[in-house]
Amino acid sequence: MTGRSLELMYQFLICTSSAFVAVAMFHVVFPKKRKPEIEDEECQFSSFVKTAAKHGKSTVISTVNELLDAISKAMDTQHTVNMNSKPKLRNDMIVDQIDLEISRLSDRLFTILSEATIESLPLLQLVKKGRRLPCCALDIGGTLTKLVLFKPGGGERDLKCETYDPDREFCSDADHDSGSIPVRLTSTDVIHLKLYSFETKKIHTVVEFLKARGICNVRISASGGGGHKFQELFQREIGVKLSSIDEMRSVITGVNHRLLTGSQEAFHYRWGLDAERKAYVSFAGKKSPFPYLLVNIGSGVSIIRVDQMDSYRRLSGSCLGGGSFFGLCKLLTGKYKFDEIVEMSRRGNINNVDLLVSDIYGQGFVKDIGLSDDLIASSFGKVAVADHSSETFCPEDMVRSLIFMFSNNLSQIACLIAERERIENIIFSGGFIRNNAYVWSKISFGLDFWSGSRLQALFMEHEGFLGALGAYLLHDKHEEEGEGLSAASEEAPASPGS
């Protein structure tokens, strides 16, 4: 065993034993008080310690020792509290002080841990070794294909990527261009990735796009089902080998990287009359976003609990997702482009098709039962009771009603699972919410309503490209762990269609 291995083992033993001592002190002093909260702190703190110890961060040892000192001081306050106080009051004061110390020191451990986990990403290993970075990565979904492309000269240091022609434009670049995203690799290295979007049913357009830039005979990381489905096509047409990477791992890696490094990435959306609708929340180098709930709304819905950078498990899902919404919209409107449907929704009025509480009880009476007049009692309820021989309904109204119905349903499911798991941060992602402020507002309203204003929805600025970003960051990871490897955790059974 090497000296380095012994050092890591020593750190691990010290850190974990210190954490267990802290936990034991909790249970000795407060054997029957606030057990769920204590167990939560125990689980989160031990997780930080163990994971950081694996990275050989010696700072963790002093941080744990500082926590133990704080707990000792808190217990000493028993002798300074007014002895006429009730025992329960004295115990609660000590618990609150220990809670405060754990929160403060856990944030410090989180900063250590986040830096270590970012440094461990496969792409960072290429930077450290001075190797060329991959030119691009793909996320090939059932409806859309997202591509991230290295943009030369976008950072302080001129990092090189695999050879391609960045100046040669594809004939319809403007139709697919979705801007760019800065990606921090180290404290001194920031690269920029160009973002492109294509319809998967026109996958040959992606092949031609790569061919036009001379991206041939290389290996490209690809997440999503298309990473398997189109391997033969890319190999045959341009000699590109698609290295399939687990879809959920790609998305979560992309989300985590942006949460830990991007100051203008995660945001709450205000649905009132405020001039500034987006309220950004920064986790970079500050508080921990973990654990959080990721509600990924693609064709179906997957709900994932994420505890750390590479620790997650699927909790639930639903077959009522973006595919269901898009399919119903096609049947009701005859429109076949998602952007057209989103534009139609902006002109709609749900009051023309949805049955409101005031339609059932009349105006004013609803205050007595704790409901507002404009609360929806039944989506499409007015259609159900209409005389169809004389009434017609506007497609724009129906699309807007569908958006509210799906958003309200998903926010309620997310709320129930978050409360069961005792999780505060809930991030919504997926094609259904892409660039759709109305969806943001309805999900935000729904989560606020169902949680009694205890929870707020979070959205991501670069939503839609996080899977492709994750695939880019995980480039070469399949060589280390096996292609298409999933997280080492047991998943919940999938709902049909999710």
Side-chain angles (χ1 to χ4, degrees):
M1 185 177 290
T2 64
R4 180 61 173 163
S5 299
L6 288 171
E7 179 189 351
L8 290 177
M9 180 175 290
Y10 176 69
Q11 290 185 6
F12 178 80
L13 290 173
I14 289 180
C15 292
T16 52
S17 61
S18 299
F20 293 146
V21 169
V23 170
M25 292 170 72
F26 266 110
H27 290 297
V28 168
V29 180
F30 316 110
K32 297 181 179 179
K33 296 181 181 296
R34 299 177 63 175
K35 193 170 185 293
E37 289 85 350
I38 291 173
E39 287 177 346
D40 278 351
E41 296 289 2
E42 169 188 339
C43 179
Q44 184 180 18
F45 183 72
S46 296
S47 175
F48 277 130
V49 169
K50 291 177 182 178
T51 309
K54 287 194 298 184
H55 291 282
K57 296 291 178 181
S58 58
T59 313
V60 175
I61 298 175
S62 60
T63 306
V64 173
N65 288 333
E66 187 176 339
L67 173 64
L68 294 175
D69 289 341
I71 293 175
S72 178
K73 291 177 182 177
M75 294 180 66
D76 287 342
T77 60
Q78 282 183 309
H79 302 293
T80 58
V81 173
N82 187 340
M83 296 309 296
N84 294 325
S85 300
K86 295 180 180 180
K88 181 180 185 302
L89 175 61
R90 294 202 302 271
N91 284 348
D92 284 348
M93 290 177 64
I94 298 170
V95 170
D96 290 340
Q97 188 168 346
I98 293 174
D99 281 348
L100 182 64
E101 289 298 327
I102 284 184
S103 177
R104 180 176 67 85
L105 296 173
S106 289
D107 286 343
R108 186 185 302 177
L109 284 172
F110 163 70
T111 301
I112 298 168
L113 176 61
S114 62
E115 291 296 328
T117 50
I118 291 174
E119 290 174 9
S120 68
L121 285 169
L123 195 73
L124 269 293
Q125 305 309 308
L126 298 182
V127 174
K128 291 178 180 178
K129 295 174 183 177
R131 291 172 55 188
R132 289 181 177 269
L133 301 180
C135 56
C136 64
L138 290 164
D139 177 16
I140 309 176
T143 305
L144 295 174
T145 293
K146 306 298 177 59
L147 182 147
V148 295
L149 181 70
F150 183 91
K151 183 180 178 182
E156 299 177 15
R157 189 158 62 103
D158 190 19
L159 296 174
K160 302 296 183 182
C161 78
E162 296 165 343
T163 303
Y164 82 103
D165 186 354
D167 299 320
R168 187 174 179 183
E169 293 189 356
F170 187 55
C171 60
S172 56
D173 266 10
D175 295 337
H176 307 287
D177 194 334
S178 298
S180 64
I181 179 174
V183 179
R184 182 172 73 82
L185 301 181
T186 68
S187 58
T188 57
D189 293 316
V190 178
I191 63 173
H192 285 75
L193 299 176
K194 288 284 293 177
L195 311 177
Y196 296 93
S197 178
F198 306 83
E199 290 184 74
T200 301
K201 67 181 181 181
K202 300 177 181 177
I203 193 67
H204 279 88
T205 308
V206 181
V207 174
E208 293 300 322
F209 179 93
L210 297 176
K211 185 177 180 180
R213 284 177 164 76
I215 302 176
C216 302
N217 302 311
V218 294
R219 180 169 50 80
I220 295 177
S221 296
S223 69
H228 292 283
K229 183 178 180 179
F230 298 113
Q231 282 182 341
E232 183 180 346
L233 172 67
F234 279 77
Q235 181 72 50
R236 183 181 68 248
E237 296 292 329
I238 53 177
V240 166
K241 179 183 179 182
L242 295 184
S243 295
S244 181
I245 295 181
D246 180 75
E247 182 176 5
M248 269 302 108
R249 171 166 286 183
S250 295
V251 172
I252 290 169
T253 298
V255 171
N256 285 343
H257 187 274
R258 294 302 299 165
L259 288 176
L260 300 179
T261 63
S263 59
Q264 296 278 299
E265 183 63 47
F267 63 90
H268 298 301
Y269 191 79
R270 302 188 181 102
W271 66 90
L273 300 177
D274 300 310
E276 181 56 54
R277 294 295 184 92
K278 290 183 180 180
Y280 287 98
V281 179
S282 177
F283 296 99
K286 299 180 181 179
K287 59 183 178 179
S288 168
F290 304 111
Y292 67 83
L293 208 63
L294 179 65
V295 183
N296 192 49
I297 312 171
S299 297
V301 181
S302 289
I303 301 178
I304 315 294
R305 177 186 173 117
V306 183
D307 290 297
Q308 289 297 336
M309 189 74 170
D310 202 27
S311 174
Y312 61 90
R313 59 190 174 95
R314 188 180 190 279
L315 298 177
S316 187
S318 174
C319 59
L320 297 178
S324 310
F325 167 77
F326 194 30
L328 287 171
C329 286
K330 281 186 175 182
L331 292 174
L332 292 172
T333 69
K335 299 295 183 181
Y336 291 87
K337 289 187 177 181
F338 189 80
D339 290 339
E340 286 183 342
I341 290 173
V342 171
E343 184 58 37
M344 287 178 64
S345 72
R346 296 191 175 102
R347 304 191 297 268
N349 184 349
I350 60 175
N351 293 342
N352 295 331
V353 294
D354 292 346
L355 197 66
L356 307 182
V357 169
S358 60
D359 294 324
I360 300 174
Y361 290 95
Q363 294 286 340
F365 173 76
V366 292
K367 293 180 180 178
D368 298 332
I369 57 176
L371 300 175
S372 61
D373 289 324
D374 59 352
L375 195 67
I376 295 176
S378 174
S379 295
F380 283 82
K382 287 180 180 174
V383 179
V385 300
D387 180 358
H388 289 280
S389 62
S390 60
E391 292 189 47
T392 59
F393 295 92
C394 175
E396 287 82 356
D397 298 339
M398 291 188 286
V399 170
R400 197 169 182 89
S401 176
L402 277 175
I403 286 181
F404 186 91
M405 181 172 68
F406 275 79
S407 301
N408 199 38
N409 174 261
L410 293 173
S411 62
Q412 185 179 29
I413 294 173
C415 176
L416 292 172
I417 294 176
E419 290 185 339
R420 184 191 73 187
E421 298 289 319
R422 293 199 292 270
I423 290 177
E424 294 183 0
N425 292 325
I426 306 176
I427 299 174
F428 290 84
S429 66
F432 178 67
I433 67 170
R434 180 176 60 93
N435 296 329
N436 196 328
Y438 183 63
V439 172
W440 299 340
S441 67
K442 294 300 107 179
I443 288 178
S444 297
F445 168 79
L447 194 58
D448 179 82
F449 177 84
W450 294 116
S451 69
S453 299
R454 293 189 302 275
L455 300 173
Q456 286 183 288
L458 277 168
F459 307 96
M460 304 291 284
E461 189 69 40
H462 294 94
E463 167 43 48
F465 290 90
L466 299 173
L469 171 62
Y472 189 82
L473 294 169
L474 291 170
H475 184 81
D476 274 354
K477 193 173 187 69
H478 60 283
E479 288 189 343
E480 301 168 9
E481 299 183 355
E483 290 194 8
L485 185 65
S486 300
S489 56
E490 185 176 350
E491 290 191 349
S495 296
S498 65

